[in-house]
Amino acid sequence: MSSNTSRRRDVTVADVARAASVSKAQAARALGNYGAVSEDVRERVLAAAEELSYRPNELARSMNTGKSHTIGVVVGDIENPHFGLATRGITDTAKKSGYNVILANTDEERAAEVDAVQVLLDKRVDGLIVAPASSTETDHLQRVYESGRPLVLLDRAARGLPAEVIAADMAGISYDATKYLLDSGHRRIAFISTLKNASPFLDGTQLDSSQISERLEGMLRAFAETKLPFPYDLVRLNAGDADSIRDATRELLLRADPATVVVASDGLIALSALGAIQDLQLSIPKDVSFLMYDDFAWARLTTPPLTVVAQPVYDMGVAAATALIRQIDGRKASGTAPALQARLIKRGSVGPPREAFQPAQAYTAEGPTAALG
Amino acid sequence: MSSNTSRRRDVTVADVARAASVSKAQAARALGNYGAVSEDVRERVLAAAEELSYRPNELARSMNTGKSHTIGVVVGDIENPHFGLATRGITDTAKKSGYNVILANTDEERAAEVDAVQVLLDKRVDGLIVAPASSTETDHLQRVYESGRPLVLLDRAARGLPAEVIAADMAGISYDATKYLLDSGHRRIAFISTLKNASPFLDGTQLDSSQISERLEGMLRAFAETKLPFPYDLVRLNAGDADSIRDATRELLLRADPATVVVASDGLIALSALGAIQDLQLSIPKDVSFLMYDDFAWARLTTPPLTVVAQPVYDMGVAAATALIRQIDGRKASGTAPALQARLIKRGSVGPPREAFQPAQAYTAEGPTAALG
DNA sequence: ATGAAAGCGCTAACAC
DNA sequence: GTGTTAGCGCTTTCAT
């Protein structure tokens, strides 16, 4: 409560200039720290600014510099720790370079994403980081590109867009993980994902998400390599809310030819799936094995601790922001992109399938259950 | 790839006006949907805009309306699911009213918070939601108030500020929870919080966070009521990173007169504390009981499931955004604030203290261990 | 209903 | 080094 309790009108450069008895331009130069200003004037202006508690209007500044020092971030669900962590990586990095972050949540809804991107462009963000809900419908992302502002994709690629993509190699790690499950004797591997898709996943289905496509591709490759038929009937897409995930899990486990291992596509899905398994009174890994994507702290606290595919999520956020800001500044890619490697962390939730211990193999002849090649 | 691959200059109202052969003012009216415009002109303008794929410059618009339709959100750690969920509540609500959210992370660092608030004010946000790191040092928040823009506080109050505070009643629920622990036979109740404080918590210590103050106040009251001495030696503040939390937990459990129950001030702390307990090979609740603030999905998946104080975090986000937007729109509080009640959810992690089962009570005489009052 | 012109707060030419 | 004058893209009087 020093002096001014100014409400309405903000104090402007003009006010400061007047108080320091210099021209508006000179005041602006001193305040904005550009151009040539004598020491005397600088001091007077700064003093006046201090006295009047002047604050620059960044909006006005942005208007004629064309730079807002703001980047837009569009994610599917900030509540999902995956994005929470990535966002942390982004904001940390942005702050370091003097950028702010406008965050938009889309609920993995395409319409919301299109809208969010448009709004952010209208707000003249300097660049955009998007985790696109769809890898195929990308008109709105194309528009970003056309607006002349850089775009970096997080987690998922977008077909036909020249945008830089920050994501771990999902096909590779999925292949590894699947191989591990196969080696453990599993054949009935279920995969649950929130990915919205009109039809179930069949041979040749083109998926809308590069991320999930790659994971399934890795699985298919592992199966193919071992000459085993891929269990298309155990792939569950469109697993939206907690209830539908629970239902899907129950069904996968209670059906005639049940899954012997459940692979959860992210931490949120895992939570619901594990809840369902718990309700079913099934024990992991005795009755059913479990594997999830993303390694969160709680994965070590369950009994047994969970085997996971860990992604360097925070680093991905950092990488995305770094790449974007580099592009905003018009700098070229600095050769060595940091390796964003996902890792399979074996803990206790994957064991041999239940059937493997039973006297007779009720299945089709699919070769020995021993570890393969 | 229809026609324009315009790079540099954006198309403006002037361009649209020219194309529609009307004045700039008329075009602006049609586009901005204000003032009086004839049907004929409106159509021509809209058609021209469409053709040129005109997009309004929201910065310019904000400049002379004085409204940016953006609210600033300042939290300690977006990575913490507590804030993740609250942020979701905020963004959902904001979007519904046509507002965007600029997110700033402070790492619970005062300097970062002061800076973030300043930057957001400079960017001319229409209002601010802050989860203040400190409840006592509030000059920067005072400045928000002086700028004439509304401010809503999340989780924690700030001394001497007229700002609306959205938070569950912590003193009450803490009292309830402590009473429950006391009734279960516990006397050695440990409390771990990230709150930064220069000195340890002693009788009469003034804490910097209303949230934590209230919790401790509730604990003190419960102890006082049962005439038991409060275990000041078991309060751990400044539990910053995962390691320091683990260390604190170990110490609390391995010391001469150890804690029989650990209360974790939030989910992140709980994760580290549980890790430490696991490393110590202690079993819950046989060897040590456990209680945490916030109810996250994983709390039901541990063995045993965790007893928690659940806060309506998402709803708090919604309430904060609703209150802020109401103030921005200059509307009065609508009488009935929605009840933001925290609840004690008893699951399996609290049992009788270990000592209660041992032959002799090695402690000071503190009355019978049976349930009281 | 429409247009001319002023102005939001700042930066950027351009003189001097 | 300093001041004057234009804008940035939009909204908003104020005439007509």
Side-chain angles (χ1 to χ4, degrees):
Chain A
M1 331 285 154
S2 48
S3 48
N4 67 7
T5 318
S6 67
R7 192 45 33 87
R8 268 287 61 79
R9 216 179 65 78
D10 291 335
V11 4
T12 76
V13 258
D15 299 324
V16 176
R18 201 172 311 119
S21 355
V22 293
S23 74
K24 221 178 57 170
Q26 260 332 63
R29 288 194 255 257
L31 293 168
N33 233 302
Y34 61 93
V37 184
S38 71
E39 197 45 49
D40 172 49
V41 168
R42 150 166 286 105
E43 273 171 20
R44 268 167 39 219
V45 169
L46 261 32
E50 173 78 58
E51 173 57 30
L52 301 173
S53 58
Y54 163 83
R55 288 268 84 210
N57 183 328
E58 291 296 342
L59 249 37
R61 196 168 267 180
S62 296
M63 271 223 53
N64 31 176
T65 58
K67 306 205 73 295
S68 63
H69 286 280
T70 302
I71 66 183
V73 174
V74 182
V75 299
D77 182 8
I78 185 65
E79 175 187 343
N80 186 327
H82 177 91
F83 287 125
L85 235 191
T87 302
R88 185 76 144 79
I90 293 172
T91 53
D92 283 0
T93 308
K95 182 160 65 181
K96 236 172 263 172
S97 305
Y99 282 85
N100 293 106
V101 168
I102 300 190
L103 183 71
N105 211 88
T106 67
D107 262 316
E108 300 288 1
E109 215 72 71
R110 219 189 90 78
E113 180 177 310
V114 172
D115 195 60
V117 167
Q118 193 59 265
V119 168
L120 291 172
L121 287 179
D122 291 353
K123 276 211 191 294
R124 297 305 190 261
V125 294
D126 292 339
L128 238 30
I129 296 176
V130 180
S134 164
S135 294
T136 53
E137 306 190 43
T138 57
D139 291 4
H140 58 305
L141 299 179
Q142 183 66 38
R143 228 168 293 144
V144 176
Y145 191 68
E146 280 164 9
S147 82
R149 272 161 286 184
L151 166 70
V152 168
L153 265 22
L154 188 64
D155 269 358
R156 321 181 244 236
R159 193 123 61 208
L161 269 194
E164 197 162 338
V165 180
I166 304 292
D169 167 30
M170 281 298 128
I173 193 68
S174 170
Y175 169 82
D176 293 346
T178 308
K179 198 113 183 33
Y180 168 62
L181 295 177
L182 287 171
D183 287 353
S184 303
H186 292 279
R187 299 296 176 266
R188 301 290 291 162
I189 303 179
F191 180 79
I192 309 181
S193 162
T194 39
L195 177 65
K196 282 168 185 150
N197 204 67
S199 55
F201 184 69
L202 296 173
D203 192 2
T205 300
Q206 283 293 335
L207 248 30
D208 209 25
S209 155
S210 62
Q211 175 101 164
I212 304 299
S213 298
E214 284 191 20
R215 292 187 192 169
L216 284 164
E217 181 189 317
M219 294 177 74
L220 284 167
R221 188 150 62 83
F223 269 89
E225 213 170 77
T226 37
K227 306 265 198 291
L228 289 165
F230 182 78
Y232 284 99
D233 57 325
L234 297 181
V235 175
R236 288 290 173 282
L237 305 177
N238 304 305
D241 55 53
D243 282 339
S244 75
I245 297 166
R246 295 179 88 96
D247 290 347
T249 309
R250 287 179 63 88
E251 194 276 322
L252 286 166
L253 263 21
L254 294 180
R255 53 185 290 151
D257 193 3
T260 61
V261 51
V262 173
V263 178
S265 186
D266 71 45
L268 246 34
I269 295 180
L271 249 8
S272 297
L274 287 171
I277 292 174
Q278 204 172 49
D279 288 352
L280 252 25
Q281 314 255 37
L282 294 177
S283 128
I284 296 176
K286 191 164 67 65
D287 300 321
V288 57
S289 288
F290 197 88
L291 180 139
M292 78 165 179
Y293 277 79
D294 276 334
D295 182 26
F296 297 121
W298 58 263
R300 255 158 299 182
L301 294 178
T302 53
T303 313
L306 264 31
T307 291
V308 302
V309 170
Q311 302 185 69
V313 188
Y314 180 87
D315 290 341
M316 286 164 58
V318 171
T322 304
L324 186 69
I325 292 172
R326 174 176 50 62
Q327 287 189 48
I328 291 175
D329 293 349
R331 302 198 308 275
K332 286 281 156 216
S334 58
T336 46
L340 291 169
Q341 200 51 59
R343 287 161 38 232
L344 175 64
I345 302 181
K346 298 174 188 172
R347 295 203 266 250
S349 65
V350 172
R354 196 179 204 177
E355 285 75 4
F357 288 107
Q358 292 178 346
Q361 295 254 153
Y363 292 0
T364 55
E366 56 189 12
T369 52
L372 305 142
Chain B
M1 330 268 147
S2 48
S3 49
N4 68 6
T5 318
S6 67
R7 191 48 32 88
R8 268 286 62 79
R9 217 179 65 76
D10 291 334
V11 5
T12 74
V13 258
D15 299 324
V16 176
R18 201 171 311 117
S21 355
V22 294
S23 73
K24 219 177 58 171
Q26 248 352 46
R29 288 193 255 256
L31 293 167
N33 233 302
Y34 59 91
V37 184
S38 71
E39 198 44 49
D40 172 48
V41 169
R42 149 165 288 106
E43 272 170 22
R44 266 163 44 216
V45 169
L46 261 32
E50 172 77 59
E51 174 57 32
L52 300 174
S53 56
Y54 163 83
R55 288 267 86 209
N57 182 328
E58 290 296 340
L59 285 178
R61 194 167 268 181
S62 296
M63 270 223 55
N64 29 158
T65 58
K67 304 205 73 297
S68 62
H69 285 282
T70 301
I71 67 184
V73 174
V74 182
V75 298
D77 182 9
I78 186 66
E79 175 187 343
N80 185 326
H82 177 92
F83 287 124
L85 235 191
T87 302
R88 185 74 144 79
I90 293 172
T91 53
D92 283 359
T93 308
K95 181 159 66 182
K96 236 172 265 172
S97 306
Y99 282 85
N100 292 106
V101 168
I102 300 189
L103 183 71
N105 211 88
T106 67
D107 261 316
E108 300 287 1
E109 215 73 71
R110 219 189 90 78
E113 181 177 311
V114 172
D115 195 60
V117 167
Q118 193 59 265
V119 168
L120 292 172
L121 287 180
D122 290 353
K123 275 211 190 297
R124 298 303 190 264
V125 294
D126 292 340
L128 237 32
I129 295 176
V130 180
S134 164
S135 293
T136 55
E137 307 190 43
T138 56
D139 291 5
H140 58 304
L141 299 179
Q142 182 66 40
R143 228 169 293 144
V144 177
Y145 191 66
E146 279 164 10
S147 82
R149 272 160 285 183
L151 166 70
V152 168
L153 266 23
L154 189 63
D155 269 359
R156 321 181 244 235
R159 193 123 59 208
L161 270 194
E164 197 162 337
V165 180
I166 304 292
D169 166 31
M170 281 298 129
I173 194 68
S174 171
Y175 169 82
D176 293 346
T178 307
K179 198 112 186 30
Y180 169 61
L181 296 177
L182 252 15
D183 287 354
S184 302
H186 293 279
R187 300 296 176 265
R188 302 289 292 161
I189 302 178
F191 180 79
I192 309 181
S193 162
T194 38
L195 176 66
K196 282 168 184 149
N197 205 67
S199 56
F201 184 69
L202 297 174
D203 192 0
T205 300
Q206 283 293 335
L207 248 30
D208 210 26
S209 156
S210 63
Q211 175 102 166
I212 304 300
S213 297
E214 285 190 21
R215 292 188 192 169
L216 285 164
E217 181 191 317
M219 294 177 75
L220 284 166
R221 189 150 62 82
F223 269 89
E225 213 171 77
T226 36
K227 306 262 198 291
L228 289 165
F230 182 77
Y232 284 98
D233 58 324
L234 298 182
V235 176
R236 289 289 172 285
L237 304 178
N238 305 305
D241 55 52
D243 282 338
S244 75
I245 297 166
R246 295 178 87 95
D247 291 347
T249 308
R250 287 180 64 89
E251 195 275 322
L252 286 167
L253 263 20
L254 294 180
R255 52 184 291 151
D257 194 2
T260 59
V261 51
V262 173
V263 178
S265 186
D266 71 44
L268 246 33
I269 295 180
L271 249 8
S272 296
L274 287 170
I277 292 173
Q278 203 171 49
D279 289 351
L280 254 25
Q281 314 254 38
L282 294 177
S283 128
I284 296 177
K286 191 163 67 65
D287 300 322
V288 57
S289 288
F290 196 88
L291 180 138
M292 79 165 179
Y293 277 80
D294 276 335
D295 182 27
F296 297 121
W298 58 263
R300 254 157 301 182
L301 294 179
T302 53
T303 313
L306 264 31
T307 292
V308 302
V309 169
Q311 303 184 68
V313 188
Y314 180 87
D315 290 341
M316 286 164 58
V318 171
T322 304
L324 185 69
I325 293 172
R326 175 176 48 62
Q327 287 189 48
I328 292 175
D329 293 349
R331 302 198 308 275
K332 287 282 155 214
S334 58
T336 46
L340 291 169
Q341 201 51 59
R343 285 161 38 232
L344 175 64
I345 302 181
K346 299 173 188 173
R347 294 203 265 251
S349 65
V350 172
R354 195 181 204 176
E355 285 76 3
F357 288 106
Q358 292 178 345
Q361 293 256 152
Y363 292 1
T364 54
E366 56 187 11
T369 51
L372 304 142

